[in-house]
Amino acid sequence: GAGVSQSPSNKVTEKGKDVELRCDPISGHTALYWYRQSLGQGLEFLIYFQGNSAPDKSGLPSDRFSAERTGGSVSTLTIQRTQQEDSAVYLCASSLGDRAGGYTFGSGTRLTVV
Amino acid sequence: AQSVAQPEDQVNVAEGNPLTVKCTYSVSGNPYLFWYVQYPNRGLQFLLKYITGDNLVKGSYGFEAEFNKSQTSFHLKKPSALVSDSALYFCAVRDVRGYQKVTFGTGTKLQVIP
């Protein structure tokens, strides 16, 4: 696609429910990243994919968080048993994979856990 | 470990005046440096990057940034601010060696006053 597409744009869920967030990167971008943006906290790295593998999962905050990427394209971030502290904007970015490249970000999914 | 500091939560500047948004960084090796801008309810947009070469980097929308290795700084500048420049600005860094995730600062809100 022309840009990085994320869905849904907004998600309100009850505490304890599971949620899935989707990212569709730019076609041909081999690298995909998930970040979390909380008010006043900047961007917190979650996970990095190169193709379908995730060489860096160091930012996932707990084992309730997982992500996968299939076909070297679409990625899904899953949060199980959501907690109120999971409320944030979840941003996905993709790049060509060259180390010096900048990222192209999606518009994000605003998750609110009530 | 790598880190980025944006010491100002908010910068106010009058329209037509020059603007500076400050950024300092810390990496073990040599850095790749980036600036991104986020408009309300939008994803982050790439502005410019420093990879190597000239210390003064020119980017989108008339912005530029100066890499200063001795001061480990990468301040964002524009000669004449526009009201439409009002947004949230993020500085980011990654180490040039191997794979390193990009680390973002906490962001600086730029308010251009008409």
Side-chain angles (χ1 to χ4, degrees), chain A residues 33 35 37 40-43 45 47-48 55-56 58 89 91 98-108 110, chain B residues 32 34 36 38 41-46 49 51 88 90 94 96-107:
Chain A
Y33 310 80
Y35 283 81
Q37 184 178 17
Q41 297 297 315
L43 272 72
F45 169 81
I47 188 169
Y48 155 63
D56 189 349
S58 64
V89 176
L91 292 167
D98 64 296
R99 292 176 293 161
Y103 296 170
T104 301
F105 279 87
S107 298
R110 181 176 298 276
Chain B
Y32 293 144
F34 307 87
Y36 288 82
Q38 185 177 37
N41 300 314
R42 301 274 297 276
L44 276 75
Q45 297 177 29
F46 172 78
K49 66 181 178 184
I51 303 301
L88 188 58
F90 289 93
R94 70 187 299 176
V96 303
R97 300 173 302 175
Y99 161 73
Q100 292 285 342
K101 59 183 175 284
V102 173
T103 298
F104 287 81
T106 53

Side-chain angles (χ1 to χ4, degrees), chain B residues 42-114:
Chain B
R42 301 274 297 276
L44 276 75
Q45 297 177 29
F46 172 78
L47 268 183
L48 52 81
K49 66 181 178 184
Y50 170 81
I51 303 301
T52 187
D54 288 342
N55 290 340
L56 185 64
V57 178
K58 295 186 182 298
S60 306
Y61 312 120
F63 284 92
E64 58 189 28
E66 186 167 12
F67 170 61
N68 187 316
K69 187 171 184 177
S70 63
Q71 297 185 3
T72 61
S73 67
F74 191 56
H75 301 329
L76 181 70
K77 299 182 179 184
K78 187 174 182 181
S80 178
L82 301 173
V83 173
S84 58
D85 293 330
S86 299
L88 188 58
Y89 291 81
F90 289 93
C91 182
V93 67
R94 70 187 299 176
D95 195 304
V96 303
R97 300 173 302 175
Y99 161 73
Q100 292 285 342
K101 59 183 175 284
V102 173
T103 298
F104 287 81
T106 53
T108 297
K109 183 178 180 181
L110 174 66
Q111 190 72 40
V112 181
I113 302 161

Side-chain angles (χ1 to χ4, degrees), chain A residues 7-92:
Chain A
S7 61
S9 55
N10 281 284
K11 176 72 176 179
V12 179
T13 190
E14 293 180 352
K15 178 182 174 180
K17 301 282 190 181
D18 298 352
V19 294
E20 285 190 351
L21 312 180
R22 176 188 168 103
C23 173
D24 198 345
I26 291 175
S27 179
H29 279 195
T30 58
L32 186 147
Y33 310 80
W34 283 98
Y35 283 81
R36 180 167 70 174
Q37 184 178 17
S38 304
L39 190 63
Q41 297 297 315
L43 272 72
E44 177 187 6
F45 169 81
L46 298 178
I47 188 169
Y48 155 63
F49 285 94
Q50 180 62 42
N52 291 337
S53 65
D56 189 349
K57 307 178 184 178
S58 64
L60 294 177
S62 75
D63 58 8
R64 296 186 296 105
F65 287 73
S66 63
E68 65 175 12
R69 188 180 186 194
T70 56
S73 181
V74 172
S75 176
T76 303
L77 177 68
T78 301
I79 308 173
Q80 295 178 310
R81 306 181 301 282
T82 52
Q83 303 295 314
Q84 288 184 331
E85 61 263 29
D86 300 333
S87 297
V89 176
Y90 289 82
L91 292 167
C92 175

